[in-house]
Amino acid sequence: MNQATQALQVPALIALDWGSTSVRAMLVSSEGVVVSRRASSMGVAHVPKSGFEAALLELCGDWVSDLDLPMLASGMIGSRQGWREAPYLAAPCGPAECATHLTAIRLASAPEKAIHLVPGVSLTRADGTRDVMRGEEVQVWGCPAAGASSFVLPGTHSKWVELDEQGRIVAFRTYMTGELFSVLRAHSTLRWQASETASAVRADGDFELGVKRALASSSCLSSLIFQARAGALFGDVPAHGVAAFLSGLLIGAEVASALHEGTPNRSVVKVIGDLALCQLYETALRLCSVAAQVLDASDATTRCLFRIAGAAGLLQGAGR
Amino acid sequence: MNQATQALQVPALIALDWGSTSVRAMLVSSEGVVVSRRASSMGVAHVPKSGFEAALLELCGDWVSDLDLPMLASGMIGSRQGWREAPYLAAPCGPAECATHLTAIRLASAPEKAIHLVPGVSLTRADGTRDVMRGEEVQVWGCPAAGASSFVLPGTHSKWVELDEQGRIVAFRTYMTGELFSVLRAHSTLRWQASETASAVRADGDFELGVKRALASSSCLSSLIFQARAGALFGDVPAHGVAAFLSGLLIGAEVASALHEGTPNRSVVKVIGDLALCQLYETALRLCSVAAQVLDASDATTRCLFRIAGAAGLLQGAGR
């Protein structure tokens, strides 16, 4: 961007990606370009219920006081444990429905200013089961649209998300894969086997063996993970490879289930998230003969929040 | 038993059920009757590798020194973490094969005396997966025989075991159900939901709902357990019922998988273990239209060890 272009970037929105463990604040221009960014560890899990306004002002109080800008936030900040509960919007839904269901909170210290919260998305399936997400929906909507598509967002709670031709979320499913890996490795009898490996699991031969075992098995995951003990006992997996093998079992079971359950014969799945984790999912998808398209979604949330702010009329008059 | 009968009970065997967390010692007569019993918490997990002889003598040193009896032990005492590794016997196998594969350890303090360890049982399936057990095999063999039958031994690591007409173990499968429940409840994000219930889960409506959800689902367990969060958020499950619901999800998934995988169209499954836990499995089996036969297996291990000792020739001359 040359200087002439940069000079045109007038701030128009404070966008906040406010999750459980951290918060990122972006100052966005009227053209949708990020002109400044800040981050802190004041996620929802680290701030008392009454402390969110103070946390906001600590992170970007100067933006709030000096610039008369709308504020829009997504993520766990809208959960029951967050600043205020922003009720879930039922799928199918897209950014347009989102824009008409924002939750406004007036600041106690400046009642003329308000922060708006994006709703989470909920799903009730035909069998009565439920699912929820907060934050992942704006990440998906912020990615370049290309008709109906399937996404996976690997992590503590992986989300598989289906978009229709109009870019609306029509279905999604949560897998507690990352969390299962963490608690099994730290607290279960498998910790003896899985502790010898360094933190980061790589898509090596032990990981691939785990994925293949999961794909070949029709048994329940609670049986499958015992392979990390029994396989190690018989030397099928070396001691230093048990964590990678266990990760392969868990991710393999997730990918097989998700492709079976929710992904309508797509040959490509878009993968968003931590790059090392994306590579594990890329490997598991390849072993299922499905291509992975790893996307750089670092500004996807900001793009979507800007779009929702526009659709909600929040940008009118801002940044002038 | 009247006094005349009791007078005939000459000790013939010291049988030891030596597990991870505890050890039980039984003095068994030449008729196979338990004439005395002791227990301690000196399980394999609580005793250093070099301390097993001392633990034995602390528990029943008087029996060892005063009576010239054979000693036979089963359970984790024969594992790599135990006194000495008693190599696994590959299924299919029964007590007769077991009797010819004992591991003898001479006591350092009395080299003319030896303790014998029963082997564990291993399985290698056609798909390359492995399974192992130590201790459950003698429990199953010690139950009254009645031709081919299916057993489940619920617990930290549940075992489903298939016996053929000759009473040999032909197949088995481990499910880490109890351990998953513990680590999820104590260490995962589900702890917030599942902590409000008392320790003991009962087969109530919330438990049954969990089982039914598991039976209706074709999705992976890592997705299913998220229902303990999403269902609670929407009030499908009351806060005080989340632990029972989670237990139902996990046990339901195990039972469905085990009936699908390994149990050849049996209308009855024999259930051995802690009574409260057996009742949960009985409920889950009933919801699968399978009858449960809860067995009192409190002396099953002793009965089987006595039988193996006889087959191994250890009882010859003993107790005279």
Side-chain angles (χ1 to χ4, degrees):
Chain A
M1 193 183 306
N2 61 37
Q3 286 194 336
T5 315
Q6 210 159 16
L8 291 175
Q9 305 299 347
V10 181
L13 174 71
I14 299 171
L16 294 134
D17 177 4
W18 204 325
S20 287
T21 57
S22 64
V23 50
R24 296 188 307 134
M26 280 71 59
L27 197 58
V28 189
S29 78
S30 55
E31 306 293 309
V33 175
V34 176
V35 290
S36 184
R37 50 177 98 230
R38 294 176 188 174
S40 93
S41 61
M42 289 179 291
V44 169
H46 306 152
V47 175
K49 186 91 181 160
S50 61
F52 291 109
E53 182 166 330
L56 171 72
L57 297 178
E58 188 181 328
L59 181 61
C60 51
D62 52 342
W63 295 354
V64 174
S65 60
D66 301 351
L67 308 169
D68 185 24
L69 295 180
M71 295 181 272
L72 185 59
S74 63
M76 291 303 280
I77 191 67
S79 71
R80 223 168 271 180
Q81 292 77 40
W83 197 334
R84 186 173 302 168
E85 188 171 7
Y88 289 103
L89 201 58
C93 62
E97 290 85 356
C98 224
T100 61
H101 288 82
L102 302 183
T103 295
I105 308 170
R106 301 220 154 264
L107 298 193
S109 62
E112 76 283 6
K113 295 176 195 289
I115 180 170
H116 294 82
L117 308 183
V118 166
V121 179
S122 68
L123 180 73
T124 300
R125 300 190 189 91
D127 63 4
T129 59
R130 313 275 198 169
D131 220 316
V132 290
M133 64 168 120
R134 278 197 191 275
E136 293 89 352
E137 71 293 338
V138 289
Q139 269 192 287
V140 168
W141 287 328
C143 287
S149 49
S150 302
F151 285 82
V152 57
L153 296 84
T156 306
H157 295 177
S158 292
K159 306 281 182 185
W160 288 72
V161 185
E162 290 295 312
L163 295 192
D164 66 8
E165 289 288 340
Q166 287 73 46
R168 296 185 316 161
I169 293 174
V170 287
F172 64 99
R173 192 177 284 272
T174 303
Y175 293 83
M176 293 180 61
T177 302
E179 179 151 25
L180 272 179
F181 180 69
S182 301
V183 297
L184 286 171
R185 191 175 177 185
H187 302 290
S188 80
T189 49
L190 299 181
R191 69 185 181 279
W192 303 111
Q193 273 87 22
S195 63
E196 295 194 31
T197 321
S199 258
V201 167
R202 299 180 57 185
D204 57 11
D206 299 313
F207 176 81
E208 289 203 9
L209 180 63
V211 173
K212 286 173 188 166
R213 285 272 194 265
L215 299 182
S217 171
S218 59
S219 193
C220 179
L221 192 59
S222 52
S223 172
L224 196 56
I225 56 177
F226 190 66
Q227 286 309 306
R229 175 163 164 74
L233 264 175
F234 285 85
D236 299 344
V237 183
H240 67 266
V242 173
F245 179 67
L246 176 62
S247 174
L249 290 172
L250 291 166
I251 292 177
E254 173 191 330
V255 170
S257 171
L259 292 177
H260 173 73
E261 285 288 328
T263 304
N265 296 318
R266 300 247 160 76
S267 56
V268 180
V269 170
K270 297 177 180 182
V271 189
I272 303 177
D274 169 77
L275 195 59
L277 204 48
C278 286
Q279 283 168 348
L280 298 182
Y281 277 72
E282 190 174 17
T283 300
L285 282 162
R286 176 172 50 74
L287 293 171
C288 295
S289 306
V290 172
Q293 184 186 354
V294 178
L295 298 180
D296 174 8
S298 46
D299 276 329
T301 294
T302 308
R303 273 197 299 272
C304 181
L305 288 175
F306 181 75
R307 190 168 149 205
I308 292 172
L314 293 179
L315 301 182
Q316 289 158 10
R320 274 186 240 152
Chain B
M1 193 182 307
N2 60 36
Q3 287 193 335
T5 316
Q6 212 159 16
L8 292 173
Q9 304 299 349
V10 182
L13 174 71
I14 299 171
L16 294 133
D17 177 4
W18 204 324
S20 287
T21 57
S22 64
V23 50
R24 295 187 308 133
M26 278 73 59
L27 197 58
V28 189
S29 79
S30 55
E31 305 294 309
V33 175
V34 175
V35 291
S36 183
R37 51 177 96 230
R38 294 176 187 172
S40 92
S41 60
M42 290 178 293
V44 169
H46 306 151
V47 175
K49 187 91 182 158
S50 61
F52 291 109
E53 182 166 332
L56 171 73
L57 297 177
E58 187 179 327
L59 180 62
C60 52
D62 52 342
W63 295 354
V64 174
S65 61
D66 300 351
L67 308 167
D68 185 24
L69 295 179
M71 295 180 271
L72 184 59
S74 64
M76 291 303 281
I77 191 67
S79 71
R80 223 167 272 178
Q81 292 77 41
W83 196 336
R84 188 174 300 168
E85 187 171 8
Y88 290 102
L89 201 58
C93 62
E97 290 86 355
C98 223
T100 61
H101 289 83
L102 303 181
T103 295
I105 308 171
R106 303 219 151 265
L107 299 192
S109 61
E112 75 283 6
K113 296 178 193 288
I115 179 169
H116 295 81
L117 308 183
V118 166
V121 179
S122 67
L123 180 72
T124 300
R125 301 190 188 91
D127 62 4
T129 59
R130 312 276 197 169
D131 220 318
V132 289
M133 63 169 121
R134 277 197 191 274
E136 294 90 353
E137 70 293 339
V138 287
Q139 269 191 285
V140 168
W141 287 328
C143 287
S149 48
S150 302
F151 285 82
V152 57
L153 296 86
T156 306
H157 294 176
S158 292
K159 306 279 182 187
W160 289 72
V161 185
E162 291 296 312
L163 296 193
D164 66 9
E165 290 289 338
Q166 288 73 47
R168 298 185 314 160
I169 293 174
V170 286
F172 64 98
R173 192 177 285 273
T174 304
Y175 293 82
M176 294 180 61
T177 301
E179 179 152 25
L180 272 179
F181 181 69
S182 302
V183 297
L184 287 172
R185 194 175 173 184
H187 301 291
S188 80
T189 50
L190 299 181
R191 70 185 182 278
W192 304 111
Q193 273 86 25
S195 64
E196 295 194 32
T197 321
S199 258
V201 167
R202 300 181 55 187
D204 57 11
D206 299 313
F207 176 80
E208 289 203 8
L209 180 63
V211 173
K212 286 173 188 166
R213 285 271 194 267
L215 299 182
S217 171
S218 59
S219 194
C220 178
L221 192 59
S222 52
S223 172
L224 197 56
I225 55 176
F226 190 66
Q227 287 307 307
R229 175 163 164 74
L233 264 176
F234 285 86
D236 299 344
V237 183
H240 66 267
V242 173
F245 179 69
L246 177 62
S247 174
L249 290 172
L250 291 166
I251 292 176
E254 174 191 331
V255 169
S257 172
L259 292 177
H260 172 75
E261 285 287 327
T263 306
N265 295 317
R266 300 247 162 75
S267 55
V268 179
V269 171
K270 297 178 180 181
V271 188
I272 303 177
D274 169 77
L275 195 61
L277 203 49
C278 285
Q279 283 168 350
L280 298 182
Y281 278 72
E282 191 174 16
T283 301
L285 282 161
R286 176 172 50 74
L287 293 171
C288 294
S289 306
V290 172
Q293 184 187 354
V294 178
L295 299 180
D296 174 7
S298 47
D299 275 330
T301 294
T302 309
R303 274 196 299 274
C304 182
L305 288 176
F306 181 75
R307 190 168 150 207
I308 292 172
L314 294 179
L315 302 181
Q316 290 159 10
R320 276 185 239 153

